[in-house]
């Protein structure tokens, strides 16, 4: 007895299963490629941003190095070193110095300005009633053992207005004299002033 078996429908079903599998694999591959392209694009942007940041930092560093190089090659560096050296070699307390300079003033002499100069000298601005007092003060400065040298650089007049009691208008009085002095201190002697000042402060306690 012969049996007739028809296998065509089964082959068609298996073919469709393989077609679904292949289609799925291709779809997954396409999706993976799309994801890879997206990730690669984002990574490229990050790399570009980092590269730009690195270039900016390199440029900033180069500008700073150039500024330092220009500063070191200029006179400003030398002046700064000289100023630091002067400060280290010139640690003088201004209080005893001021006290001594005020002691030398005449009765009607007034200290208006006191300034340390960069070269280690002191600039003084003093008010006097007469020009002779300015000359006497210069003599006292030169005679002081705490002062190495002193010069009177200028002497100018300054009119002072004074209100008289009961008067409506102001009347000018005799002019005052403003003397500008340049003083070079004797450092060793100034140290003695500081020591004497410290001793007086210790005794008062």
């Amino acid at each position: 007895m012969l049996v007739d078996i028809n296998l065509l429908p089964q082959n068609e079903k298996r073919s469709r299963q393989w077609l679904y599998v292949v289609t799925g694999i291709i779809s997954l591959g396409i999706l993976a490629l799309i994801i890879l392209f997206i990730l690669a694009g984002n990574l490229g942007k990050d790399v570009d941003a980092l590269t730009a940041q690195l270039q900016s930092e390199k440029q900033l560093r180069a500008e700073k190095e150039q500024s330092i190089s220009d500063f070191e090659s200029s006179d400003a560096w030398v002046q700064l070193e000289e100023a630091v050296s002067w400060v280290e070699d010139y640690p003088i307390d201004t209080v005893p110095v001021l006290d001594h300079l005020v002691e030398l003033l005449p009765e009607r002499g007034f200290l208006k300005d006191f300034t340390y100069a960069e070269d280690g000298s002191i600039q003084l601005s003093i008010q006097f009633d007469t020009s002779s007092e300015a000359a006497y003060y210069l003599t006292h400065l030169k005679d002081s053992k705490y002062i190495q040298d002193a010069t009177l650089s200028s002497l100018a007049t300054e009119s002072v207005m004074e209100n008289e009691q009961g008067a409506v208008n102001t009347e000018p009085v005799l002019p005052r004299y403003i003397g500008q002095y340049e003083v070079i201190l004797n450092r060793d002697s100034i140290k003695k002033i500081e020591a004497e000042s410290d001793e007086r402060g210790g005794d008062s306690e």
Side-chain angles (χ1 to χ4, degrees), residues 121-183:
S121 63
I122 293 177
Q123 307 295 328
L124 297 175
S125 178
I126 310 293
Q127 176 182 303
F128 303 100
D129 285 348
T130 64
S131 58
S132 59
E133 290 179 343
Y136 291 146
Y137 185 64
L138 178 61
T139 301
H140 292 322
L141 289 174
K142 289 185 175 182
D143 292 340
S144 173
K145 63 180 180 179
Y146 302 114
I147 295 174
Q148 181 177 337
D149 189 22
T151 56
L152 177 60
S153 57
S154 66
L155 184 64
T157 58
E158 183 181 69
S159 297
V160 179
M161 306 300 292
E162 183 175 326
N163 284 323
E164 294 184 357
Q165 187 174 3
V168 177
N169 297 324
T170 58
E171 296 292 338
V173 298
L174 292 176
R176 300 291 188 263
Y177 293 86
I178 306 298
Q180 302 294 336
Y181 296 86
E182 183 175 355
V183 177

Side-chain angles (χ1 to χ4, degrees), residues 33-44:
L33 288 175
I34 293 174
I35 294 174
L36 286 175
F37 283 138
I38 294 174
L39 292 176
N42 292 334
L43 183 61

Side-chain angles (χ1 to χ4, degrees), residues 2 15-16 31 79 98 119 146 151 172 176 199-200:
L2 296 177
S15 298
R16 287 181 180 178
L31 181 61
Q79 294 175 0
L98 278 171
D119 58 359
Y146 302 114
T151 56
R176 300 291 188 263
E199 290 178 0
R200 288 195 298 267

Side-chain angles (χ1 to χ4, degrees), residues 5-200:
I5 300 174
N6 187 4
L7 300 177
L8 290 179
Q10 294 181 358
N11 290 335
E12 183 179 356
K13 185 176 181 180
R14 290 179 181 178
S15 298
R16 287 181 180 178
Q17 289 178 349
W18 278 107
L19 180 62
Y20 293 152
V21 171
V22 171
T23 302
I25 293 173
I26 294 174
S27 299
L28 290 175
I30 294 174
L31 181 61
L33 288 175
I34 293 174
I35 294 174
L36 286 175
F37 283 138
I38 294 174
L39 292 176
N42 292 334
L43 183 61
K45 292 180 181 179
D46 293 339
V47 171
D48 292 339
L50 291 174
T51 302
Q53 183 179 357
L54 180 61
Q55 292 295 332
S56 177
E57 291 179 354
K58 285 183 178 180
Q59 183 177 358
L60 182 60
R61 180 179 178 181
E63 291 176 356
K64 289 183 177 180
E65 290 178 351
Q66 183 64 36
S67 299
I68 294 173
S69 178
D70 294 341
F71 178 75
E72 291 178 347
S73 62
S74 66
D75 294 337
W77 179 257
V78 177
Q79 294 175 0
L80 179 60
E81 286 186 338
E82 291 177 351
V84 171
S85 177
W86 178 82
V87 170
E88 292 176 350
D89 296 337
Y90 210 88
I92 292 178
D93 188 2
T94 58
V95 174
V97 174
L98 278 171
D99 289 341
H100 180 66
L101 294 174
V102 171
E103 287 176 359
L104 299 178
L105 286 172
E107 183 179 356
R108 293 288 299 169
F110 300 97
L111 179 63
K112 297 189 67 177
D113 193 22
F114 175 89
T115 307
Y116 272 117
E118 293 182 357
D119 58 359
S121 63
I122 293 177
Q123 307 295 328
L124 297 175
S125 178
I126 310 293
Q127 176 182 303
F128 303 100
D129 285 348
T130 64
S131 58
S132 59
E133 290 179 343
Y136 291 146
Y137 185 64
L138 178 61
T139 301
H140 292 322
L141 289 174
K142 289 185 175 182
D143 292 340
S144 173
K145 63 180 180 179
Y146 302 114
I147 295 174
Q148 181 177 337
D149 189 22
T151 56
L152 177 60
S153 57
S154 66
L155 184 64
T157 58
E158 183 181 69
S159 297
V160 179
M161 306 300 292
E162 183 175 326
N163 284 323
E164 294 184 357
Q165 187 174 3
V168 177
N169 297 324
T170 58
E171 296 292 338
V173 298
L174 292 176
R176 300 291 188 263
Y177 293 86
I178 306 298
Q180 302 294 336
Y181 296 86
E182 183 175 355
V183 177
I184 306 297
L185 298 177
N186 187 328
R187 301 185 196 179
D188 295 334
S189 297
I190 292 297
K191 293 298 183 182
K192 294 180 181 179
I193 297 182
E194 294 179 355
E196 293 172 0
S197 177
D198 293 338
E199 290 178 0
R200 288 195 298 267

